Amino acid sequence: MKREPVIDRLDRVLGLLASRPSWTAAELAEELGVCVRTVRRDLARLEARGVPIESDAGRGGGVRVPPRTGLGRVQLDAHEVLDLLLALALAEQLRSPLLLSTLKGLRQKLAASFPPEDRARVSGLRRRILVGPSSRNIAATWKPPTTSVLRPIQEAFFEQHALELTYRTNDVSTVRVVEPHYLLLSWPAWFLLVWDHLRGAVRMLRVDRIEAARLTASTFRIRDSKQMLATLGDIFSAV
């Protein structure tokens, strides 16, 4: 298994220290999946960076950060930034009153963390999030998809790469290659509006029915959402 970079683990240590008043080294080690010696090295690294860590002497003593202590800037990896951008895009489509006053600035700051060649895709994300009507039938059968499926879907959606996926319909699974053009929310379910290479047609795929997904090298250009939806008719009467 690939080892976690030290800088990522230090971010996790900071998050744990901020989550409750006190931890023992053994508790931190268990949460992080490392040995106690590694935890002590990580705490020393954080102290060297200026994090004010307090500790109780003796066997079983706890470690903590003083109350009201800020732990510096939040460090996010590319996947976390993309998750936030997708959440902001959804909030914008739903016209959330809690975020509209700062949404544009938040999106611009997050977009700045991407290389210049990716920023055009970032700015277009909100136009690729669609919101459809809720359905009791969908809500009753929806199951949250796994992270192993969501990660390649997320990457393919953002980078405009085709996906090879295994999709289940009526207990029958098929392997197909699709272009994930749009994400559509029909609360609480998510759908992919795709161009399906196997069918040679537009399809709406429930994300929770995707059993496996793999990013391919094939890229695509975004199609018009209205034209794609028009080919499906009343899609929510059948899903």
Side-chain angles (χ1 to χ4, degrees), residues 19 31 45 78 87 98 111 127 154 159 171 176 214 227:
S19 68
E31 285 287 333
R45 291 184 178 108
L98 297 177
R127 293 187 292 272
Q154 180 195 65
E159 297 176 10
D171 295 326
R176 56 183 76 185
R214 183 182 66 84
Q227 293 180 4

Side-chain angles (χ1 to χ4, degrees), residues 125-223:
L125 278 179
R126 65 187 185 278
R127 293 187 292 272
R128 297 177 62 201
I129 304 290
L130 310 176
V131 179
S134 298
S135 167
R136 290 183 180 179
N137 292 334
I138 297 172
T141 59
W142 169 259
K143 296 180 180 179
T146 64
T147 302
S148 62
V149 167
L150 289 177
R151 181 59 62 83
I153 290 175
Q154 180 195 65
E155 293 181 6
F157 180 76
F158 176 70
E159 297 176 10
Q160 295 174 215
H161 277 253
L163 273 171
E164 181 183 89
L165 52 81
T166 304
Y167 189 71
R168 184 185 73 258
T169 307
N170 298 325
D171 295 326
V172 176
S173 298
T174 57
V175 177
R176 56 183 76 185
V177 175
V178 303
E179 300 169 0
H181 289 262
Y182 295 90
L183 276 170
L184 187 145
L185 173 65
S186 174
W187 183 261
W190 281 98
F191 293 79
L192 284 177
L193 181 60
V194 307
W195 176 259
D196 188 337
H197 289 204
L198 178 66
R199 310 299 184 191
V202 176
R203 288 289 185 268
M204 186 75 80
L205 306 181
R206 276 180 51 157
V207 174
D208 64 332
R209 292 179 179 170
I210 298 175
E211 299 178 323
R214 183 182 66 84
L215 201 68
T216 75
S218 176
T219 60
F220 62 89
R221 300 184 69 174
I222 302 299
R223 298 173 182 242

